[in-house]
Amino acid sequence: DTAVSQTPKYLVTQMGNDKSIKCEQNLGHDTMYWYKQDSKKFLKIMFSYNNKELIINETVPNRFSPKSPDKAHLNLHINSLELGDSAVYFCASSQASGRGSSYNEQFFGPGTRLTVL
Amino acid sequence: AQSVTQPDIHITVSEGASLELRCNYSYGATPYLFWYVQSPGQGLQLLLKYFSGDTLVQGIKGFEAEFKRSQSSFNLRKPSVHWSDAAEYFCAVGARGQNFVFGPGTRLSVLP
């Protein structure tokens, strides 16, 4: 029983393409997140999404757009991929409420390694 | 805004030796503190967390951490390291109404 799952695990694509990464959680959590981990292992939050509200990190280019069809899913769509987008992207979820509240631990997916050629 | 530092980028210990990974945070209010471990090619797994109460918290895999408000620290310890503990360790701070902030991570290598 995978708590937070992501697909695909690996994604290799050409510069300029559009791609999506899917995330699903079966924990009944109401908040989901996307993180980017760069080559130096630094983790940075990109988005958090709590039912009705999407919190966007201002440093994330608008080529990145999260889409949440329902509470259990938060997909990440990336337009016009660039070399610098190569990274590992982690989805996470937590049981929290309120704007970006993070006082409960987050459960992470296995990650999607994106390589842009 | 909160911030987290992990002064040690890479630590190497011998199997069976004790371990302490340092974490310092900066936040004006009471923080919620976490330690996560990331094994190679894997996602992050929560080791332990501190919200309030006893400042010494026990986690999984024999890890513990101590919250010291006066030093703004939340160091992770383990009395005897196993080869399977080799991984990347992340300290994180959260707070109500704020997103998680992760430290830069400490890579642990274990010598046989």
Side-chain angles (χ1 to χ4, degrees), chain A residues 41, chain B residues 9 36-39 86-90 104-108:
Chain A
K41 300 288 187 181
Chain B
I9 296 173
Y36 283 84
V37 60
Q38 183 181 22
S39 298
E88 194 86 22
Y89 290 80
F90 293 94
T106 297
R107 183 160 64 96
L108 173 65

Side-chain angles (χ1 to χ4, degrees), chain A residues 18-36:
Chain A
D18 302 339
K19 290 294 178 185
S20 292
I21 306 172
K22 295 184 177 181
C23 177
E24 177 181 1
Q25 55 96 1
N26 62 8
L27 297 167
H29 291 165
D30 60 8
T31 305
M32 296 183 72
Y33 312 83
W34 277 107
Y35 287 85
K36 179 180 180 180

Side-chain angles (χ1 to χ4, degrees), chain B:
Chain B
Q2 62 265 43
S3 66
V4 181
T5 57
Q6 294 178 245
D8 305 305
I9 296 173
H10 184 202
I11 284 182
T12 300
V13 299
S14 297
E15 192 169 18
S18 63
L19 171 71
E20 182 170 31
L21 302 182
R22 295 183 291 165
C23 172
N24 293 96
Y25 68 91
S26 172
Y27 188 62
T30 301
Y32 302 96
L33 297 159
F34 307 82
W35 273 101
Y36 283 84
V37 60
Q38 183 181 22
S39 298
Q42 303 296 314
L44 280 77
Q45 181 183 22
L46 180 70
L47 285 176
L48 47 77
K49 61 187 177 185
Y50 172 79
F51 288 168
S52 64
D54 192 347
T55 56
L56 183 63
V57 293
Q58 302 296 320
I60 62 172
K61 304 184 179 186
F63 285 93
E64 66 178 25
E66 186 171 13
F67 170 57
K68 293 186 177 179
R69 185 185 299 275
S70 60
Q71 299 177 17
S72 297
S73 69
F74 188 57
N75 294 347
L76 182 71
R77 300 193 294 249
K78 186 169 185 178
S80 178
V81 171
H82 188 261
W83 63 267
S84 60
D85 293 325
E88 194 86 22
Y89 290 80
F90 293 94
C91 182
V93 61
R96 287 182 182 270
Q98 302 292 329
N99 286 317
F100 265 33
V101 173
F102 281 87
T106 297
R107 183 160 64 96
L108 173 65
S109 297
V110 180
L111 298 175

Side-chain angles (χ1 to χ4, degrees), chain A residues 20-79:
Chain A
S20 292
I21 306 172
K22 295 184 177 181
C23 177
E24 177 181 1
Q25 55 96 1
N26 62 8
L27 297 167
H29 291 165
D30 60 8
T31 305
M32 296 183 72
Y33 312 83
W34 277 107
Y35 287 85
K36 179 180 180 180
Q37 185 176 47
D38 63 23
S39 58
K40 295 185 178 179
K41 300 288 187 181
F42 186 69
L43 271 163
K44 189 169 184 181
I45 190 164
M46 301 175 70
F47 305 100
S48 63
Y49 198 100
N50 174 253
N51 277 335
K52 306 165 190 171
E53 189 175 6
L54 173 66
I55 310 300
I56 298 174
N57 187 314
E58 294 179 0
T59 64
V60 177
N62 57 16
R63 298 182 294 103
F64 290 80
S65 55
K67 298 185 191 306
S68 181
D70 55 58
K71 200 169 77 165
H73 297 83
L74 183 63
N75 303 325
L76 183 64
H77 188 75
I78 316 170
N79 289 327

